[in-house]
Structures are given as C-alpha cells and as structure tokens.
Amino acid sequence: MQIYEELVARGLIAQVTDEERIRDLINNGKAVFYIGFDPTADSLHVGHFMALCLMKRLQMAGNKPVALIGGGTAMIGDPSGRSDMRQMMTVETIQHNCDCFKKQMSKFIDFSDDKAIMVNNADWLLDLNYIEVLREVGACFSVNRMLSAECYKQRMEKGLSFLEFNYMIMQSYDFYVLYQKYGCNLQFGGDDQWSNMLGGTELIRRKLGEDAAAMTITLLLNSEGKKMGKTQSGAVWLDPNKTSPFDFYQYWRNVDDADVLKCIRMLTFLPLEEIEKMDSWQGSELNKAKEILAYELTKLVHGEEEAEKAQEGARALFSGAGNTDNMPTTVLSDADFTDGAIGVIDMMLKAEIIKSRGEGRRLIEQGGVSVDDEKAKTAFDTVNKDAFSKGHVIVKKGKKIFVKFVIE
C-alpha cells in the first residue's frame, strides 16, 4: 500500500481538490507541503497531533515538510472556529512560543540536511507595505466570497474586526510566498481552514497564471484531530512541564471506547494489518487497546523510558499491579498537618489539581474524590498521619487524575 492510500485507510483525509495529482505527488515523494501552526501558547498540544504525525508519515515516504509558524498572522488573530477574538500578544511572546514549537516539532520531523524546513511568516508579512497589499493582493479577493466563508459567518453575530477579516488574505499570501520561494506545491489543514486554503490557490492562479495554479493542491484533514486536544480541564500539552508524561499517558488511557481504535489508526505508526485485528475487540480487550494507544503516543512524545514509567504507574492504579514510584507525587511536610491530620481539600490544593476550595467541595459532594479508593464524604474529611505508615496515600480526582502523597 502506497502512502496516499494508507492516509485514506487511516481515515486522515476528508477532502482534496485534485485527488489524481495529489496521489502522484505524495506517492512519488514529490510533495513539498506545508502545515501552519498558530503560536498562541508556548507548547503544542494533542490537538496538533494529527498534523505532526501526518508530517512524519509523509517525510518518511520521501516528501518534504514545511512547518509554517504563524508569527506574523498571530499579530492579528485567527477567527477560524472561534466565536470571540483572541488576546493580542507581544512580539517577544510570539517569538518565545515559536522557539518552543521548533524544539517540540524536532521530535517528529527531521530538519537535518534540508529534509524539512521551518519558516515564520513574520519574515515576510511584517515587512509588507499596506498600499502594496491593497493593490497587489487585496484586488484578488472578493469581499462577497470572503463573507460567505464559514469561519467568518461564525463571527458575524458578535462582530468581526477588520484585523480578523484580513486573516484569509494573510494566510493566502503565505502559500503564495511558499510556492515562489520554496516550491511548496501542497497545503494541509483542518476543515475550518478550507476557505483560507482555497484563497491561497486562487491567489497563485490570479498572480502567476493557470500553470502555476495547477501545481497547488489543497488537502483537507479529517476534523477529528481538532477535537483530540480538548478536555474538560483544557488542553493536554506536549511539554512535560505543562502536562507530565504520566498525565499525558492517562489522557490517552482514558479515551472513550468508541474512539480508541480510531485514535490508534490515525495517530500511531502501528501497521494497519495489526490494527485491523483489533477491530473485533470488545469489553476488557478495549482496555488493552487503550494501553497500546497511550504507550505508543507517550513513547512518540516523551521517549520509551518515560512511556514505560507512565505505564507502570497507570497499571498500579488500574489493575493493582505495577510501580507506584512512577506516579505524580506531592511531598507533604509536618507543617501541612494540624493535630496530626490534613484536610483532603488541602491536599488537592497542595497538589494543584483544584483551583479553589469551592471546586474541591463540589467535587466531593458529587462523589468525585477518593482517598486510597475510599470516597471522600464531606468537604471536612481529613487524612491522619498514620495513614502514611505504608509509605504513601493516593488521592483520585474524577476518573483520570491521580496524585500520590508522601511525607518528607
């Protein structure tokens, strides 16, 4: 099976503009393709996973990735998939985030020997002359067509700023520059970027002619990737200082039964033949599939050693086996105890798994907190010092968050 057919089989492709040409480019290693990353934080998160894994797959097949960091477009904000306007960031913050992205991407993409490149659209967007943009680029866009794009429709009710309205033009100009400067002939993105990507193809056609436009092909990723980075508590980060390898493993270990095989197919590099054997798995076998998913993705991001540790820690919780040394640990001191006891809510605050006493009280009242597998009953529950005689106490918040407490 060639790489394009594998992408289809894994459920990664939702829509293309010219399937015959894109198959030829990708299968023959002739694609110079770009995916854009918006540097709104100092870490990538699991919502970026599909894009990163796709870039790795295509590079392994001989194609050349261009990782485009939106340092320029981040100055005005992207309205796609949003109902509110993003906060403005300083130039220094944007540059810091871009530097962090490159370090994390290097775990997925080989940037050596010109096998891949990373570019920042600030390098060309920040130097543009306003009159030049209006004359040379703006004239190629129909306002009526822009307003019909779904990404702008979503913002019209609350108000679409002129800054955000220019985002499509800026993203289209990115493809125009990448095509001319780097021979970039293919762009990838999620469904919320469809109109913006088509704008880039149209700009090349208008500026460089039909022959050039014939070489610009847009592929739309399946939108499932956007959903993967969101949890009830926010994003799950790839930076181990923001999401520990254990918590990262736990996130994937706790995916819904209905999603586990889909995630394995889309995100891991396991052979399709091996994954197809899992399609018939039911019940407890799905827990095995979740372990496989969590281990493979933790290994991909944090390395084999951290994946082993995370799996050991998780098994200590889920099956009563394994090494609890690898669980996230919070150290308590004598000063944390009053009359030989510490409140359960105080423990959760100390571990920073709740933000306030009110949150802790609500969780306990809803039955969402356990201490050594015993449900906490009231907001006034405490843990005595002698409970640590076995070495530790484990507090569980909800189904996914565990913390081991020890006394120093």
Side-chain angles (χ1 to χ4, degrees), residues 329-343:
T329 302
T330 295
V331 178
L332 301 174
S333 67
D334 289 338
D336 293 313
F337 291 82
T338 302
D339 297 330
I342 181 174

Side-chain angles (χ1 to χ4, degrees), residues 128-138:
L128 285 175
N129 177 281
Y130 183 61
I131 297 300
E132 179 185 359
V133 172
L134 291 177
R135 179 182 174 88
E136 300 298 328
V137 181

Side-chain angles (χ1 to χ4, degrees), residues 25 34 92 142 154 274 298 330 356 368 375 402:
L25 281 176
Y34 98 87
E92 292 77 17
S142 162
Q154 295 174 5
E274 184 176 336
T298 305
T330 295
S356 67
K375 291 279 188 184
F402 302 81

